[in-house]
Each structure stands twice: as C-alpha cells, then as structure tokens.
Amino acid sequence: MRDTGGARNEHAGDRGTAPAWLETGTDVCAVLRGRLSTPAVAERFARAGWSSRSSSWYGYEVETGWCQAELDPTGGSDTLLNGLVVPEGLDTLASLLTGFGLSFTLESYDDEGTLLREIRSR
C-alpha cells in the first residue's frame, strides 16, 4: 500500500495527495480473530471515526490520519489486516482492536521486511 511516488495515493481515489506520513510509516499486518465478520470489523472502524469503504468484492479499506489498512476475509472466520501505520500509532491500533473484542497478533515491519514489533492480544 505504500505510495512510492510521493505525489498521489493510489488508494485514496479522488481524495487528493498522500499524507506525508505514508513515506515514513511502517508496514503493519494482523490476523484478527473473533466473532466479527470482515464487514462488521470495517463497521467498527467506521463507528470509531475512521473512513471505511468497500475496496473489492469482499475487502474494505479503513483509514484515519495515522493509519491506512485493507481488511480482507480469509475464507474462514478470520480477517487479515494489512497496511501502513505511523510507528507511534501501533499501540493505539492494538487498543482499538482489543476494544472491538478481537484477538489478534499485530506485527510491524520496516521497508526491508524486518520485524520491528509484535503485539499479541491477551
């Protein structure tokens, strides 16, 4: 999802230029487990003040001022979260997912694919 061109965010549609933090944000991914379907997870993000839109037949894009992520069903009951987050937003994202009642393993990576941090729900 990283906008390497620096001028336009390909996932922003007609919403304008990419936020500057996309250049320095870290890759984030998670497997979200719980009783919520992928559309229900996207709805929870929207209720928390994030923008949410359908991005494919079954996937959603959720975004706020410090994180942009895709939500995709796994074919089972889990949802994959994949995107970019400002490094200082990882704990906030984990708290939000916990508040949704989801169990998860949240990971952040640098540009070379090195694991920077892992947060597991309790």
Side-chain angles (χ1 to χ4, degrees), residues 13-32:
D14 292 330
R15 291 178 287 181
T17 61
W21 66 263
L22 283 176
E23 294 297 322
T24 59
T26 60
D27 294 325
V28 63
C29 64
V31 177
L32 311 177

Side-chain angles (χ1 to χ4, degrees), residues 31-35 78-79 97-98 100-105 120-122:
V31 177
L32 311 177
R33 296 177 182 86
R35 296 182 183 215
D78 297 342
T79 296
L97 296 172
T98 299
F100 294 167
L102 298 168
S103 62
F104 57 87
T105 301
R120 292 181 182 267
S121 61
R122 297 183 178 129

Side-chain angles (χ1 to χ4, degrees), residues 35-113:
R35 296 182 183 215
L36 296 177
S37 65
T38 301
V41 172
E43 176 61 27
R44 294 285 174 106
F45 276 101
R47 282 194 252 158
W50 294 45
S51 65
S52 175
R53 69 177 184 90
S54 176
S55 60
S56 67
W57 283 102
Y58 304 106
Y60 292 83
E61 180 183 85
V62 293
E63 184 175 356
T64 191
W66 48 270
C67 182
Q68 182 181 67
E70 292 283 338
L71 302 173
D72 292 297
T74 63
S77 61
D78 297 342
T79 296
L80 299 177
L81 180 148
N82 187 0
L84 290 171
V85 65
V86 295
E88 57 274 11
L90 199 62
D91 288 317
T92 303
L93 180 58
S95 294
L96 191 63
L97 296 172
T98 299
F100 294 167
L102 298 168
S103 62
F104 57 87
T105 301
L106 186 62
E107 300 172 344
S108 67
Y109 294 88
D110 66 14
D111 287 339
E112 286 76 43

